[in-house]
Amino acid sequence: GSLCWNLSKVIPRKDLPRIFTMCLPVKKPKNNNSTESHSSSWSSISPGLEEQQQQTTTTPPPSIGFQAMEDLHQTRNEVVNEVMKAPKRRVDNVITALHDNIHLLLMHSLIMEDTRKQYYKLVWTHRMQTSAAFTSGFAMSALEMYFTLPAELIGGTVATTILATGSLHWFQSNQQTHLFNHLKSPDGLAASFQRTHMNEIRDGDEYTANIWMRIRETMQLSLDSLGVENIQSVSREEIRKLHWILEEEVPRLRRLAGPDHVGKLDWRKEEEEN
């Protein structure tokens, strides 16, 4: 009762861990001198006690104390077996760490790739617009030269084209900077997380939400230090390999490292050996 009360003050939840009630092994006595002297003393006190015991059944059922000791020793054997499995539990912890790191890497890769795609989508749109404006201006200048229009008109067209293209490039650069600042902000990263993990969010996956809470600040620091231009693209084959490790390799490693069946020890044989 005291142990449960102390645990209830420390553990911030209602359910308490299992408490193994057990005892230390007791060496089996090698002779029965104490039992014989004890029975002889009772026989001297009560002469009819020995005759009354002989009239009872010769094979009495096991006492409650014997069954209680058997349960205590059985619980002790379970604890010993779990302790002996500690090296295999360490291997299982390594596999769990691998599983967790692969999930972190997968989410990091998906969100970074989505951020890179959103940025370069706007970049390529701006490049096409700039190329179209530059090509249109010089095409018009070529037509003016073909029809032998005045040089002043041709020069004005070329100057206008260069000025318009430069102004468009400056405006587009500001838009790209604004988009990058939005993508690396908490709101932008949260939007990327919602796009890449829509099914997990819909299902209310707490593990996915926990991983997202762990990496969002790290991703923001990575984008600040590296910049979106230095982010390498992630191919579908690399994403497929990460999924394959989670779905195939990690379960296979768990089966290989799974604890073997350890039989129950007989506490009476253990006492005899002691």
Side-chain angles (χ1 to χ4, degrees), residues 21-29 62-78 265-271 274:
T21 305
M22 54 187 176
C23 66
L24 296 176
V26 182
K27 294 184 178 180
K28 185 177 181 181
S63 62
I64 298 177
F66 179 84
Q67 295 179 355
M69 290 296 295
E70 190 172 22
D71 293 338
L72 293 177
H73 283 282
Q74 188 68 34
T75 304
R76 175 179 172 272
N77 291 335
E78 293 178 2
L265 299 176
D266 192 352
W267 64 273
R268 283 164 290 189
K269 292 183 180 180
E270 186 180 357
E271 286 184 353
N274 295 331

Side-chain angles (χ1 to χ4, degrees), residues 126-127 129-138 157-173:
H126 288 170
R127 288 176 179 177
Q129 293 175 355
T130 304
S131 300
F134 186 79
T135 304
S136 300
F138 275 91
T157 304
V158 172
T160 302
T161 302
I162 295 174
L163 181 61
T165 305
S167 301
L168 180 62
H169 179 71
W170 174 81
F171 177 75
Q172 291 172 349
S173 298

Side-chain angles (χ1 to χ4, degrees), residues 96-104 107 193 200 204-214 246:
T96 302
L98 173 64
H99 178 268
D100 187 63
N101 291 331
I102 293 296
H103 269 291
L104 289 172
M107 181 178 290
F193 171 68
E200 290 81 357
D205 192 347
E206 295 183 358
Y207 182 70
T208 302
N210 184 23
I211 294 178
W212 163 242
M213 296 292 292
R214 291 165 57 185
L246 290 175

Side-chain angles (χ1 to χ4, degrees), residues 180-221:
F180 175 67
N181 292 330
H182 171 71
L183 290 175
K184 71 178 183 180
S185 65
D187 293 337
L189 292 175
S192 297
F193 171 68
Q194 293 176 0
R195 285 192 297 267
T196 55
H197 297 79
M198 188 179 301
N199 295 332
E200 290 81 357
I201 295 175
R202 184 177 61 249
D203 296 337
D205 192 347
E206 295 183 358
Y207 182 70
T208 302
N210 184 23
I211 294 178
W212 163 242
M213 296 292 292
R214 291 165 57 185
I215 69 170
R216 60 180 182 179
E217 294 183 0
T218 306
M219 293 182 62
Q220 188 173 1
L221 293 176

